[in-house]
């Protein structure tokens, strides 16, 4: 029943978004990726490389460096004593660089579990006006969890147990200049699962759905939901839900986020979200992306 309710809520959110109108084109889309409209290609489906917590199909264009700062406060239902979550802070600082227009590499450091992560994104296909209906991007990442300290680990815990891996296919379609939707089949593998974590599978699968509705020239609404396919009945973790308002200002994308997870990498927000969105376990936060052009595009 809870899953049905969540599904209906997500569908309602997308349906509500569809009632809004939008116009014009996004200036930042041209800065982050060039040549999308050439040779019959459709323009970008999303403003930047992030949907909410997770990635979009977009890759950083060749020679462009993105600085990405993500922040999540504590839960708003913590009440006045916790200043509705403002007393707590969880951050990720990351960099993403476009090796080519279709291949990006990124690194980051997360305060949650003091994790270092790195990833590659490769755009396999781009949507065209005729022939190719979707944009498809392959995403692969690895994360190294430095917490707990070596002298605080359980017996038998090894360095390799700190590692986790994620593989995703990001499949998106830009239906109109106002509406884009994305599907995210995902596999997360963790080398170690603690006895008290509640999950019994090192490898967990999930399917994510998300989308973007453009409201004005510089404002859009994004949403995403990850359903864990092999979650156990006694798992303490929940499905991750995220809503965001995107504001584009020149070379910046600023996202105001509402989500039930404090995690900002795939391992944490897909498999370790411990908040119930519908019980008010909501974290306010933001993502800030700043693009720096380090290499001139051809023809410019």
């Amino acid at each position: 029943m809870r899953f049905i309710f969540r599904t209906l809520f997500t569908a309602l959110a997308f349906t509500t978004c569809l009632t809004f109108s939008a116009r014009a084109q996004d200036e930042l889309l041209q800065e982050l990726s060039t040549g999308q409209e050439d040779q019959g290609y459709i323009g970008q489906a999303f403003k930047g490389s992030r949907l909410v917590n997770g990635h979009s199909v977009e890759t950083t264009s060749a020679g462009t460096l993105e600085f990405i700062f993500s922040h999540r406060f504590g839960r708003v239902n913590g009440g006045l004593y916790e200043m509705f979550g403002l007393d707590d802070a969880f951050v990720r600082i990351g960099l993403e660089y476009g090796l080519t227009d279709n291949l990006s590499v990124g690194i980051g450091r997360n305060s949650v579990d003091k994790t270092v992560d790195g990833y590659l994104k490769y755009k396999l296909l781009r949507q065209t006006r005729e022939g190719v209906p979707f944009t498809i991007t392959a995403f692969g990442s690895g994360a190294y969890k430095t917490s707990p300290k070596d002298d605080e680990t359980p017996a038998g815990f090894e360095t390799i147990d700190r590692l986790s891996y994620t593989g995703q296919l990001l499949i998106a379609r830009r239906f109109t200049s106002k509406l884009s939707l994305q599907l995210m089949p995902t596999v997360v593998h963790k080398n170690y699962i603690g006895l008290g974590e509640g999950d019994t599978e090192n490898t967990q699968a999930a399917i994510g759905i998300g989308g973007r509705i453009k409201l004005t020239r510089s404002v859009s609404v994004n949403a995403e939901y990850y359903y864990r396919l092999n979650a156990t009945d006694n798992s303490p973790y929940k499905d991750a839900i995220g809503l965001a308002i995107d504001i584009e200002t020149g070379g910046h994308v600023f996202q105001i986020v509402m989500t039930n997870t404090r995690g900002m990498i795939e391992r944490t927000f897909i498999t370790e979200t411990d908040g119930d969105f519908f019980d008010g376990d909501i974290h306010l936060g933001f993502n800030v992306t700043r693009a720096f052009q380090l290499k001139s595009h051809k023809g410019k």
Side-chain angles (χ1 to χ4, degrees):
M1 180 62 69
R2 184 177 292 271
F3 169 65
I4 294 174
F5 178 64
R6 288 175 175 174
T7 303
L8 290 175
F9 175 85
T10 304
L12 179 61
F14 283 125
T15 302
T16 302
C17 289
L18 287 171
T19 63
F20 292 98
S21 62
R23 57 185 175 179
Q25 296 180 350
D26 299 314
E27 296 175 0
L28 187 61
L29 297 184
Q30 298 176 2
E31 180 173 341
L32 297 181
S33 181
T34 61
Q36 292 283 358
E37 303 277 351
D38 297 341
Q39 300 178 353
Y41 290 122
I42 298 296
Q44 286 187 273
F46 301 98
K47 281 181 178 291
S49 61
R50 295 301 188 277
L51 192 55
V52 183
N53 296 306
H55 284 257
S56 75
V57 292
E58 308 304 344
T59 52
T60 304
S61 62
T64 299
L65 178 68
E66 283 188 2
F67 172 77
I68 305 170
F69 179 72
S70 300
H71 186 287
R72 304 291 183 267
F73 293 105
R75 295 174 179 174
V76 297
N77 60 3
L80 185 60
Y81 182 75
E82 298 291 337
M83 203 57 188
F84 302 100
L86 298 182
D87 285 350
D88 295 327
F90 311 98
V91 300
R92 178 185 181 273
I93 298 175
L95 294 172
E96 183 171 322
Y97 182 73
L99 300 174
T100 70
D101 284 343
N102 295 326
L103 177 63
S104 300
V105 59
I107 57 173
R109 171 57 159 79
N110 309 259
S111 65
V112 178
D113 295 329
K114 303 185 184 302
T115 301
V116 178
D117 68 281
Y119 60 85
L120 287 171
K121 290 176 71 175
Y122 182 69
K123 189 173 291 184
L124 301 170
L125 290 174
R126 285 196 293 177
Q127 183 182 347
T128 61
R129 295 187 182 91
E130 298 180 4
V132 182
F134 305 105
T135 296
I136 301 178
T137 298
F139 172 85
S141 71
Y144 184 83
K145 184 178 175 181
T146 65
S147 175
K149 297 179 180 179
D150 289 339
D151 57 359
E152 298 174 353
T153 59
F157 189 87
E158 300 180 1
T159 300
I160 196 172
D161 294 329
R162 298 182 181 274
L163 291 170
S164 62
Y165 313 91
T166 300
Q168 280 188 316
L169 272 183
L170 309 172
I171 306 166
R173 177 172 174 81
R174 178 177 169 175
F175 289 91
T176 70
S177 61
K178 304 174 185 178
L179 172 65
S180 300
L181 298 178
Q182 181 170 291
L183 189 68
M184 299 90 78
T186 307
V187 175
V188 177
H189 177 82
K190 295 186 280 188
N191 284 351
Y192 177 83
I193 295 179
L195 294 177
E197 293 188 16
D199 284 323
T200 58
E201 300 290 337
N202 290 82
T203 302
Q204 300 180 44
I207 187 75
I209 57 173
R212 166 182 177 257
I213 299 296
K214 185 177 175 182
L215 304 182
T216 70
R217 175 174 178 169
S218 59
V219 178
S220 63
V221 174
N222 291 8
E224 69 179 17
Y225 171 73
Y226 280 89
Y227 174 64
R228 298 167 299 140
L229 296 173
N230 59 335
T232 58
D233 292 337
N234 63 340
S235 173
Y237 301 123
K238 313 296 182 182
D239 296 337
I241 297 173
L243 301 173
I245 297 175
D246 274 21
I247 304 172
E248 182 265 312
T249 57
H252 293 77
V253 172
F254 181 72
Q255 290 183 308
I256 303 172
V257 174
M258 293 177 58
T259 181
N260 61 328
T261 180
R262 61 178 183 164
M264 287 161 277
I265 62 171
E266 287 66 29
R267 189 208 77 223
T268 50
F269 72 76
I270 294 176
T271 70
E272 298 173 5
T273 292
D274 57 5
D276 191 323
F277 193 93
F278 303 100
D279 284 343
D281 299 333
I282 297 172
H283 300 264
L284 296 177
F286 55 83
N287 300 326
V288 179
T289 301
R290 178 67 171 98
F292 300 91
Q293 192 62 46
L294 304 184
K295 178 181 177 182
S296 298
H297 292 298
K298 293 181 179 180
K300 291 190 174 182

